[in-house]
Amino acid sequence: LHQQLVQQDGLARHVATWTYDRRGPDLLVIRSLLTERATVEQVEAAINKQIERLATQGPTPAELNRV
């Protein structure tokens, strides 16, 4: 997500994600600091696209190795 929004598309200055690591259902938080040229709609669409990719394809082996 950081690679796409910050490095490739230049839509965000910073992206952070985290959970509260709770037992059972948890909350995934995605925080992004947009650049001046980005709109909330653009960044939201890019985030939703990545979530959909993870839901349908799962993480790549390279993504799993970074954890």
Side-chain angles (χ1 to χ4, degrees), residues 44-60:
E44 188 176 82
I47 290 170
N48 287 335
K49 184 177 178 181
Q50 286 297 320
I51 291 171
E52 180 65 27
R53 181 188 67 81
L54 281 172
T56 58
Q57 299 174 14
T60 65

Side-chain angles (χ1 to χ4, degrees), residues 22-61:
R22 295 188 177 146
R23 184 179 274 180
D26 202 353
L27 176 68
L28 171 66
V29 180
I30 301 173
R31 180 175 180 247
S32 178
L33 179 61
L34 280 57
T35 61
E36 296 81 13
R37 68 182 194 95
T39 66
V40 171
E41 292 79 13
Q42 287 174 308
V43 174
E44 188 176 82
I47 290 170
N48 287 335
K49 184 177 178 181
Q50 286 297 320
I51 291 171
E52 180 65 27
R53 181 188 67 81
L54 281 172
T56 58
Q57 299 174 14
T60 65

Side-chain angles (χ1 to χ4, degrees), residues 1-2 5-6 11-20 28-34 43 47 51:
L1 193 55
H2 179 273
L5 291 175
V6 176
L11 296 175
R13 294 181 186 276
H14 176 77
V15 176
T17 60
W18 67 91
T19 67
Y20 291 100
L28 171 66
V29 180
I30 301 173
R31 180 175 180 247
S32 178
L33 179 61
L34 280 57
V43 174
I47 290 170
I51 291 171

